[in-house]
Amino acid sequence: MKVGMIGVGEMGVLMAGHMAAKGMEVFANDIVKSRIDDAVARGAKAALQISDIAPICDLFIVMVRTDDQVRMIADQLLLSAKPGSIIAVSGTQDRKSTRLNSSHIPLSRMP
């Protein structure tokens, strides 16, 4: 399985390392380059742009700080993620915001 880990801060870097250790192909993305480097040291591959990994990953785990960041990332993924891929938001976003964020996804993009 190919996993795009978007947000590899304190929690995301550990998740990326555990998945890589279990044999998954993990691509680490973050707005801070040194965090990507930390994830690479734990077995992930660097993904400097979300658009580079969107068409190849089966699963995206989004571990970012704000609702606005989640929406921006989801919008990027919806442009080029392969059909059937999964976007899992694992941050501490408000459930109401997550529902609002998902309401703009066209039904044609849902499995």
Side-chain angles (χ1 to χ4, degrees), residues 7 9 19 27 35 44-45 47-48 60 62-63 71 77-78 85 98 104:
M19 288 184 287
F27 297 88
R35 291 181 183 163
K45 296 179 181 180
L48 299 179
F60 300 93
V62 181
M63 179 72 75
R71 186 175 191 90
L77 291 173
L78 289 171
S85 58
T98 302
H104 75 287

Side-chain angles (χ1 to χ4, degrees), residues 33-73:
K33 171 90 170 59
S34 62
R35 291 181 183 163
I36 296 172
D37 296 338
D38 291 343
V40 168
R42 293 175 180 266
K45 296 179 181 180
L48 299 179
Q49 301 294 324
I50 292 173
S51 59
D52 293 338
I53 59 171
I56 63 170
C57 288
D58 306 297
L59 168 66
F60 300 93
I61 300 175
V62 181
M63 179 72 75
V64 296
R65 291 181 188 254
T66 70
D67 296 333
D68 289 339
Q69 288 173 321
V70 170
R71 186 175 191 90
M72 180 192 71
I73 291 164

Side-chain angles (χ1 to χ4, degrees), residues 88-105:
V89 178
S90 297
T92 56
Q93 283 70 34
D94 184 339
R95 289 185 305 179
K96 291 178 186 176
S97 295
T98 302
R99 284 190 196 112
L100 289 173
N101 283 342
S102 66
S103 68
H104 75 287
I105 299 173

Side-chain angles (χ1 to χ4, degrees), residues 13-24:
V13 72
L14 297 174
M15 292 171 67
H18 289 303
M19 288 184 287
K22 295 292 183 185
M24 295 180 195

